[in-house]
Amino acid sequence: MTAQRSNTLVVAVGLLATLALSAGCRGNKSKDPPIHPNWNMDDQQYFQAQEDNDWFPDHRAQRPLVAGTVARGLLKADDHLYRGRGADGRLVDTLPPSITLDEALLDRGERRYAIYCAPCHEQNGRGNGIIAQPGSVATGLLVKPPSYMDPRLQAMPLGYFFDVISNGKATMRPYAAQIPVEDRWAIAAWVRVLQVSERAAKADIPPAELGKLNSGGAQ
Amino acid sequence: MAQIFPRWTNKIPLAVGVTAPVVLVSVVFAIWYWFSPKFTDVGYQPEQPVPFSHKLHAGSLGLDCRYCHNTVEQAAAAALPPAGTCMNCHANLNLGDHENRIKPIKDAFAGGPPVEWIRVHMLPDYAYFNHSVHLAAGVGCSSCHGRIDQMETVFQDQPLSMSWCLDCHRDPEPNLRPRDQITNMAWGPEDAAAYDPNTDPTRTRAVAPPEHCSGCHR
């Protein structure tokens, strides 16, 4: 009688334990989609960004633009701002009137440059970024980016850098889709800063900052 | 007259009194433990159509999150990158033996079918979430997504439940950082302790996360 009862107890505890183990613990990795006991209105009949829609053959709910059309408000008529070209169709050497040159712009340019350009062009613009160089993780780009200090590039107008970012150049692909237009100008301005700092002489440094250089504070 | 109930029935109240609380507690525990998003959702790690590794790209190569998720600061959604973004580098790289791993991307770029990435983080459609406000307030990616830069394949690290959202909304300060550190994956508790958002000159106002229902259920 007691033996039988303790047997039942063992079986019951064993069953409970297997149930608990088969259900798993919190945080276990799983390839299966989450099971929600109650789906409520989790999935409603509208499409979120990048959701799939089986109605279209390519399954994209977000439809690509029909060729030859422009979405409302996105007509980019300002040649200076959007193409870096003046009325005569040549590349400009000035910022568009809607963008002012100040510390905030250069600061923005430096940070955006670090995100989008430095992986290949290196933070100092010499073209030895981590992607470009063969190293421990990467085998390096097949075509290496040039240094901005190259005399040919030093002679280029500001609009040229905007144009390369927007439309790409040879093996470098365009970044117009990734970087908003104001940021592209900020980056172009920062590329110019890198070039100018290469040419700079000691006399160009403001006296107030000179102390830092001599004490080794600046590089 | 014979007894209606046999003698053993005297034990029923005792047995019920002992087992009922045990069963009740087990059921409550089971629902609390296994029905919670901490169990159902955390750790979801689907196999992706391309073996893309954040550990390699964001960790070892040190790419900034915004190189690929470039809409994250301006839009509600942190868009997954189109094939063209991968091709910025991969058109100019040779993966050697691993070239077949990137083939679906190259096909999509050449006009083939788009790559169908499998969604990892998924709020119900009745809850509203917006990346740009959180990033503008200085909440970092790693607070909500964990150490993505150490993940070979992305998995969900946080429950994304309503109580989880509210825990932070009620006391956001320990989760705030300078706004140029939002993509810094190595930001740890020591950095957070050393940073006081109230004395940060780049902040013009105190953050005010919504706690009222219509803030998130709009």
Side-chain angles (χ1 to χ4, degrees), chain A residues 23 30 42 44 46 175 178, chain B residues 32 34 39 41 45 67 92 125:
Chain A
S30 162
D42 280 15
Q44 298 170 13
Y46 69 90
Y175 279 74
Q178 259 162 287
Chain B
W32 169 77
W34 283 298
F39 172 72
D41 292 33
Q45 187 178 33
Y67 185 93
N92 197 355
D125 284 358

Side-chain angles (χ1 to χ4, degrees), chain B residues 73-149:
Chain B
E73 281 179 302
Q74 295 101 37
L80 298 191
T85 304
C86 311
M87 294 305 277
N88 285 351
C89 296
H90 282 284
N92 197 355
L93 279 170
N94 185 356
L95 293 184
D97 296 345
H98 291 175
E99 198 59 40
N100 59 331
R101 299 195 178 170
I102 195 89
K103 197 169 171 298
I105 298 276
K106 295 203 164 167
D107 290 348
F109 187 66
V115 178
E116 298 191 30
W117 300 108
I118 297 165
R119 189 86 195 243
V120 185
H121 300 79
M122 220 166 351
L123 284 185
D125 284 358
Y126 54 75
Y128 171 80
F129 179 78
N130 189 325
H131 274 95
S132 63
V133 256
H134 289 93
L135 298 177
V139 182
C141 314
S142 60
S143 302
C144 301
H145 294 301
R147 290 300 297 264
I148 294 274
D149 65 329

